[in-house]
Amino acid sequence: MSREERRVGAALASIFGLRMLGLFLILPVFAAYAPNLPGGGDLRLVGLAMGAYGLTQALLLIPFGMASDRWGRKPVIVAGLLLFVLGSVIAAWAPDMHWMIVGRVVQGAGAISAAVTALAADLTREAHRTKVMAMIGSTIGLVFALSLVGAPLLYGWIGMGGLFLLTGGLALLAILMLVTKVPTPPLPSAPVRPPLREVLGNGELLKLDLGIGALHMIQMAMFVVLPRALVEHGGLAMPAHWQVYLPAVLASFLIMVPAIIIAEKRDKMRPIFLAAIALVVVVQLGLYLFGASLAGLAACLLFFFVAFNILEATLPSLVSRAAPPAAKGAALGVYNTTQAVGLFLGGALGGWLAQHWGDSAVFAVCGGLALLWLLVAATMRFPRRRAVA
C-alpha cells in the first residue's frame, strides 16, 4: 500500500469507527436507563427505541449510495453525519420514550455506510482494496468491544443524555476528519449510469448480499443468548463480560491480518474466504456441544471473531470489484441494506428460537444457515489479483 492509501484507510476507518461507537455506546446501558423515562416500562417501546435506527438504515442505505454516485461521496457522508448529530441531540433531550424513538429514527437516517465504503473503493487500487476494507471493517468488532468496556463507566459519569451528546460530538469529529484528511475523488465518468435493476440482477452481487445478511443474522442471533450463557454457564457477571469479549476481539485481529495479507499477495482469496465461512459453521457446532463452559464459550468467541473480521473485510471489497464502475455506491447500498435486514431478522429469529426451543436451537439454526451460505459461496467467481501499476 502507498502512503496515501494507508492515510485514506486510517481516516475512513476512524470516521466509520466514530459513528459506530456512537451507536454501540448506547446498547449496553439503554435498557437500564429506559424505566426513568415516561413509557420506559413498556418493553415494546424500549425494543423499538433500541432497534429503530436499524429500520431507517435499511430504508435509506440504497438511496444514500445512489446519491453518492450522482453527487459525490463526501457531500452525502457529511449530510448523513449531520442527521446523526441531530438525532443524538433529540435523544439527549427526549422527555419520554416516544421522543427517544424519534431521536433514534433520525440517528439511523444518516445511512452513510455505503458511501464510506464506496469512497474507500474510489481512493484505493484494487490490489490493496481488501486491506483498506479490513481497516474499516475491523472497526466494527473493535468499537463493539470498546463500548462494552466503556459504556457503563461513561453512563455513571455523564448519564444517558451525556452519552447521546458525546455520540453527536464524535460524529462532528468524523466530519472534521473527512474534510481535512480524505481527498475528494472525481465523479464516475461513465456516460450512462447502470440502473438499479442491473445491480439487483447481478448474480455475483446477490451471492455477496446473501453472505452479509447471513453473517449478521448469525451474529445477532448468537448475541441474543451468549450474554446469558456467560452468566449461567460461565459464572461471569454481566459487568465482567468485557474480560472475554475484549481479548477475543484483539486476538482475532492478530490472526485475521496475516490471513488478509495472504489472500491478497498470494491470490488466495477463494480458499481463505471459504475457510472463514466454514469456521463459522464449526463455531456454531462448538457452541452447540461445548457452550456450557466458560472455556468453551471463550474459545468459540475467539474463532467467531476471527471468521467475522475476515469476512467483514473481504465482503465489501468483493462487492466493489463485482459492481459496475458507475454504480459502486448503489451496489454497496444494497449490500449494507441486506446487512441491516440481517441484523433485524437475526435478533427476531434468535429471540423466538431461544424462547421456544432453547439456546441449542439458536446454534443449530445458525450452523445450518452458515452451511447454506458456504454451499452458495462455493459457486462464486473470485476475481484474480491484478498487477499493481
Side-chain angles (χ1 to χ4, degrees), residues 222-234:
M222 284 175 57
F223 279 92
V224 168
V225 298
L226 280 176
R228 187 178 71 246
L230 286 170
V231 173
E232 295 179 356
H233 303 308

Side-chain angles (χ1 to χ4, degrees), residues 221 224-225 228 347-362:
V224 168
V225 298
R228 187 178 71 246
L349 178 63
W352 184 83
L353 288 171
Q355 178 70 29
H356 291 89
W357 304 99
D359 294 0
S360 295
V362 175

Side-chain angles (χ1 to χ4, degrees), residues 136-169:
I136 297 172
S138 297
T139 60
I140 296 176
L142 181 59
V143 299
F144 179 62
L146 290 175
S147 70
L148 292 172
V149 178
L153 296 173
L154 289 170
Y155 177 69
W157 293 339
I158 60 178
M160 182 58 68
L163 272 179
F164 277 115
L165 292 177
L166 175 61
T167 65

Side-chain angles (χ1 to χ4, degrees), residues 126-128 131 261-269 321 382-388:
E126 184 174 312
H128 298 297
K131 282 176 273 187
I261 293 174
I262 292 171
E264 285 290 354
K265 286 192 173 181
R266 301 185 183 179
D267 201 16
K268 299 294 183 181
M269 181 65 72
R321 298 183 192 188
F382 288 81
R384 299 191 64 82
R385 182 175 180 268
R386 294 180 183 177
V388 179

Side-chain angles (χ1 to χ4, degrees), residues 244-287:
V244 173
Y245 294 139
L246 187 58
V249 170
L250 295 178
S252 72
F253 291 159
L254 298 178
I255 302 172
M256 178 269 289
V257 171
I260 294 296
I261 293 174
I262 292 171
E264 285 290 354
K265 286 192 173 181
R266 301 185 183 179
D267 201 16
K268 299 294 183 181
M269 181 65 72
R270 178 185 177 86
I272 287 177
F273 185 82
L274 295 178
I277 302 174
L279 186 56
V280 176
V281 178
V282 172
V283 166
Q284 303 310 310
L285 179 61
L287 288 169

